[in-house]
Amino acid sequence: MQTKIKGLSLWCAVFSSTTALTLAALPGTVAAEDTRINGFYENATYARDGVGLSKFRNTLQLEGEKRIGDVGIFSNVSVNGTLRGTYDGVYDLNDDEYGSEAGGPVQLQDIAQGTVPHGGGIAPTPFFGFDINENPNDGMVVLGEHLHDQDNGVAFGVPVRPCDVDSRGCIDDYLDKDENELRFQEFNDRLDFIRELYVDFDLNFDSGNVLSTRLGKQQVIWGRTDLFRVLDVINPVDYSRNNIYDELEDIRIPMWILKTDYRMGPTEVFEGFAFDDLNFQVVWNFDEFRPHDIGQCGQPNVILDAGCFFRGMNNLWENGGTVANFAGATPDGGLATDFGPGQIGIRRANMPSWKLSNTQLGLKLEGVYGDLGFSLNALTYRSQLPSLRGGIPAQNAFDGTTDVYPSLIAFDIHFPRVNLVGGSLDYYSQGIDTVFRFETAYTSGEEFANTLRERLYSESDVARYVIGADKNVYIPFLNENQSFLFSGQIFGQHILDHEREQRTYGEAGIPDWEHNWIGTLLIQGFYMNNRLIPKLITAHDFRAQATTLAPSVDWIVTDRFKVTAGANVKVGDGARKFDDCRSCNPWDPFTQTPGVVNHQPGESAGLGGYEPLGRFKSGPIGMAQEEDEVQLTVRYSF
């Protein structure tokens, strides 16, 4: 039986039409050397400790450029296209971990019985429980089980099979990939196999200034950071490819954008002071909104394990389910509890529809003065990360009434409007042969989980920055002929309206750190006439006490064939605990927490565990502590 793959039938047609477009005869004579077509085939095979094969991704990428020249009043006209298709065989070769056979029955902790199966908890009222036939104990894992045990905390079963195999917990229009969309990631409703397709053209003025425009599907790169983004937030990112560790060029999600630069060249601002170069840029992202791809539960890479939390919570809302250690909450845990549909969980994702007010607009002024480069940036955009907003109508599990209950763990997903201002500097110091980089951004409108608020979230301004330096260092005993590149940076984040309080059983409030720093370091060497390139990338999250080490070696066998062998190893404290809001008393007086004096409706007592909010204290490195891998990538370019 032939399986239809979304977009695959268009792949060849689009490539053919794009090539035809780039080769089309336009006014004037075009030389053959004005056309460029190249590409590569790549296989990336990763094996994860305790799991086995975690990636068998085969990529074919084709890139084409047609330089057309002058067309009417425009000069330097060119058409550019990039097509990319991948097949990740891990869903076929290791399907009991990531494919149609993944997951199984789960056991959930209960202080009275030790463990009970999904469907075996107590029900606040049997009439308002859930039907095990609609939500069977199969094809699931326990939330966070790969990283930590339940340890008297909240946990529940999460479906992990592709959404065409098991639709439980698949959030419409957000995290609802079927098996082919997992295997062939670019062949989807957004036609991601068209990675880039844009036209460049210039308009020259008598003053010598140039209006340079790029229109089409593209990446717009702001900022100078690696791994963690500060200003580079115009395009969303696909973290499901390889968490935070792939080059941003490969994991940014191109969007349909108009980018135009007014290039003024050397410009005198006032007498005696002139910039060596000055440029003003306008960016209009007019594409339909697109969030980050955080990974769907059941994929090998699910950043912060958030996709699993979302899928499990949507399953609880749609079908009900069993939650470990929930009822009769005490410092020592509680009883596994069965909830019915529409009582707790995630109801839906409110994806912004296309309209003018949902497009994104950015402005940038950049220039060069001597050895100093700078930019001033402003952007209004939709948050590419989801926000969970409580305060939705839900059913009381004890009396069956439907109302909006304070601090109930029932949510809709939103993507709020965010405004950003910032800038960057880079300076080359000739005296010490070092490049210094600085980048900063101030945002308003971001939303954070907050168990002190009745809707369980709050808004905060955020300040972020990166300070980095790049220097070549000569180390004779390692290489007498060539120096090593050292590149380090410190990324800082400060939540300016942070809230956290001590309650009866622990802290409640915003789980994210009020102040946090992540340091990165790249060391890269060169041997065999730059054909053997060893490197080490490290990143350390200071508050989460989590570190990743990624050594690798590039061997450029020929000008067309390259082999990369490496590893990705994490060390540190691992999962962290925080208030899980099972002691938030939404259904007063039924949910009064033992030992809390005068427990008010919607008031958290601070009882916590690893799930669900500890992930924000652990960060992306800490939440991946059990994902050590060895990696082999081969690429042939043509």
Side-chain angles (χ1 to χ4, degrees):
M1 181 178 69
Q2 186 175 9
T3 302
K4 182 179 179 181
I5 302 169
K6 294 181 181 179
L8 185 57
S9 59
L10 293 177
W11 195 89
C12 293
V14 170
F15 178 65
S16 300
S17 60
T18 303
T19 305
L21 176 63
T22 61
L23 297 177
L26 293 172
T29 302
V30 178
E33 58 268 21
D34 290 331
T35 301
R36 175 187 61 83
I37 298 177
N38 56 270
F40 65 84
Y41 164 76
E42 179 183 271
N43 173 269
T45 301
Y46 297 177
R48 183 170 295 174
D49 184 29
V51 171
L53 192 68
S54 60
K55 188 183 300 294
F56 187 72
R57 187 181 67 214
N58 299 271
T59 302
L60 177 62
Q61 181 162 309
L62 301 174
E63 303 168 2
E65 178 187 17
K66 177 65 178 179
R67 294 190 296 273
I68 297 169
D70 297 338
V71 178
I73 63 173
F74 301 108
S75 61
N76 297 322
V77 179
S78 66
V79 180
N80 300 263
T82 299
L83 304 179
R84 184 174 78 182
T86 63
Y87 162 65
D88 194 341
V90 71
Y91 301 102
D92 297 310
L93 300 174
N94 196 5
D95 63 354
D96 58 345
E97 288 286 346
Y98 301 114
S100 59
E101 302 299 321
V106 297
Q107 291 283 322
L108 299 163
Q109 195 175 51
D110 182 292
I111 194 171
Q113 303 179 65
T115 62
V116 298
H118 167 78
I122 66 166
T125 305
F127 182 74
F128 303 122
F130 78 96
D131 184 352
I132 192 67
N133 295 313
E134 296 294 324
N135 190 10
N137 189 15
D138 191 25
M140 294 197 291
V141 299
V142 176
L143 181 65
E145 69 173 23
H146 69 290
L147 182 60
H148 57 75
D149 58 26
Q150 297 176 42
D151 195 27
N152 296 330
V154 166
F156 43 81
V158 182
V160 291
R161 293 172 181 171
C163 288
D164 56 333
V165 178
D166 185 349
S167 63
R168 290 178 299 166
C170 295
I171 303 174
D172 290 344
D173 301 321
Y174 182 42
L175 296 171
D176 58 352
K177 297 176 185 175
D178 62 31
E179 193 163 20
N180 275 332
E181 287 174 315
L182 297 174
R183 290 188 186 112
F184 306 95
Q185 194 158 352
E186 285 80 10
F187 300 108
N188 53 37
D189 294 335
R190 298 296 289 262
L191 305 182
D192 284 342
F193 62 88
I194 307 175
R195 182 146 182 82
E196 294 184 335
L197 183 60
Y198 57 83
V199 58
D200 285 334
F201 53 91
D202 294 341
L203 180 62
N204 299 297
F205 296 94
D206 293 340
S207 62
N209 297 343
V210 179
L211 188 68
S212 182
T213 300
R214 174 170 292 179
L215 174 62
K217 195 173 189 181
Q218 58 182 291
Q219 302 180 45
V220 176
I221 303 169
W222 280 7
R224 297 163 171 83
T225 60
D226 301 316
L227 291 181
F228 300 97
R229 309 188 310 161
V230 176
L231 291 173
D232 186 17
V233 296
I234 294 175
N235 292 83
V237 170
D238 180 4
Y239 291 112
S240 71
R241 280 179 68 88
N242 192 26
N243 206 307
I244 61 174
Y245 303 109
D246 274 3
E247 295 287 344
L248 280 169
E249 180 182 1
D250 294 325
I251 62 175
R252 286 191 199 91
I253 300 174
M255 304 287 284
W256 292 96
I257 293 173
L258 171 65
K259 177 174 72 73
T260 186
D261 295 84
Y262 185 63
R263 304 186 185 280
M264 293 168 273
T267 302
E268 187 174 49
V269 179
F270 50 83
E271 187 174 354
F273 182 84
F275 290 105
D276 297 304
D277 189 39
L278 197 63
N279 175 53
F280 180 71
Q281 182 181 95
V282 177
V283 177
W284 180 33
N285 181 350
F286 56 86
D287 205 347
E288 183 179 358
F289 171 75
R290 189 90 178 261
H292 293 315
D293 189 339
I294 60 174
Q296 178 173 294
C297 198
Q299 291 189 265
N301 294 296
V302 183
I303 191 168
L304 284 176
D305 206 38
C308 288
F309 170 56
F310 290 168
R311 187 167 183 179
M313 287 286 281
N314 180 254
N315 183 44
L316 287 174
W317 180 268
E318 294 290 338
N319 302 302
T322 305
V323 180
N325 299 309
F326 199 91
T330 71
D332 298 318
L335 303 174
T337 307
D338 289 350
F339 290 94
Q343 295 175 0
I344 61 172
I346 292 175
R347 181 175 63 171
R348 61 172 176 252
N350 292 312
M351 305 297 292
S353 60
W354 193 96
K355 54 184 178 180
L356 193 60
S357 60
N358 281 335
T359 60
Q360 305 174 64
L361 182 66
L363 305 174
K364 179 173 75 167
L365 177 69
E366 61 181 344
V368 176
Y369 181 75
D371 292 328
L372 179 69
F374 73 92
S375 75
L376 299 173
N377 306 65
L379 180 68
T380 178
Y381 66 108
R382 286 279 186 177
S383 172
Q384 295 150 348
L385 286 172
S387 172
L388 293 182
R389 295 180 182 176
I392 66 171
Q395 183 188 59
N396 188 314
F398 291 88
D399 62 21
T401 59
T402 297
D403 204 344
V404 174
Y405 297 99
S407 300
L408 179 65
I409 50 176
F411 308 95
D412 283 345
I413 294 174
H414 290 261
F415 298 90
R417 170 68 63 175
V418 176
N419 296 314
L420 174 151
V421 293
S424 65
L425 293 172
D426 60 77
Y427 175 72
Y428 173 62
S429 173
Q430 298 185 34
I432 58 176
D433 188 29
T434 302
V435 175
F436 293 96
R437 296 174 282 111
F438 175 72
E439 186 175 333
T440 186
Y442 184 98
T443 64
S444 60
E446 293 191 57
E447 295 177 359
F448 297 87
N450 187 346
T451 60
L452 294 177
R453 301 292 186 94
E454 286 193 355
R455 296 187 67 190
L456 298 179
Y457 81 95
S458 62
E459 185 179 302
S460 177
D461 294 354
V462 183
R464 296 182 176 91
Y465 56 84
V466 165
I467 302 172
D470 306 317
K471 181 175 177 59
N472 292 314
V473 178
Y474 183 54
I475 309 177
F477 72 91
L478 293 178
N479 191 334
E480 295 181 351
N481 302 313
Q482 200 160 354
S483 59
F484 288 77
L485 171 64
F486 282 72
S487 178
Q489 60 185 9
I490 292 289
F491 169 82
Q493 174 175 285
H494 305 276
I495 300 173
L496 303 181
D497 302 301
H498 194 269
E499 297 180 356
R500 195 181 288 182
E501 293 180 7
Q502 181 67 36
R503 294 294 176 85
T504 303
Y505 295 129
E507 287 187 318
I510 296 177
D512 301 71
W513 301 103
E514 181 178 8
H515 307 290
N516 195 18
W517 298 267
I518 296 176
T520 69
L521 177 64
L522 164 68
I523 305 173
Q524 182 170 295
F526 304 89
Y527 294 90
M528 296 170 53
N529 294 321
N530 295 340
R531 289 192 175 274
L532 191 68
I533 305 172
K535 67 182 73 170
L536 172 66
I537 299 174
T538 66
H540 178 69
D541 187 323
F542 286 87
R543 297 305 301 274
Q545 289 298 296
T547 304
T548 186
L549 305 169
S552 66
V553 177
D554 293 338
W555 178 26
I556 304 175
V557 183
T558 70
D559 291 341
R560 296 183 180 274
F561 185 56
K562 182 175 78 170
V563 178
T564 302
N568 192 300
V569 179
K570 294 87 172 176
V571 295
D573 292 345
R576 297 296 189 97
K577 292 183 177 182
F578 195 73
D579 179 21
D580 53 33
C581 217
R582 63 184 139 154
S583 62
C584 280
N585 192 24
W587 294 319
D588 187 72
F590 307 108
T591 49
Q592 289 271 327
T593 302
V596 180
V597 178
N598 193 26
H599 196 189
Q600 297 300 308
E603 178 188 50
S604 174
L607 184 62
Y610 293 122
E611 300 295 343
L613 297 182
R615 68 191 70 248
F616 297 110
K617 296 179 70 176
S618 300
I621 299 174
M623 287 300 294
Q625 286 286 296
E626 301 301 321
E627 297 178 7
D628 295 347
E629 291 181 329
V630 292
Q631 305 166 346
L632 179 67
T633 302
V634 295
R635 175 181 289 200
Y636 180 78
S637 302
F638 51 86

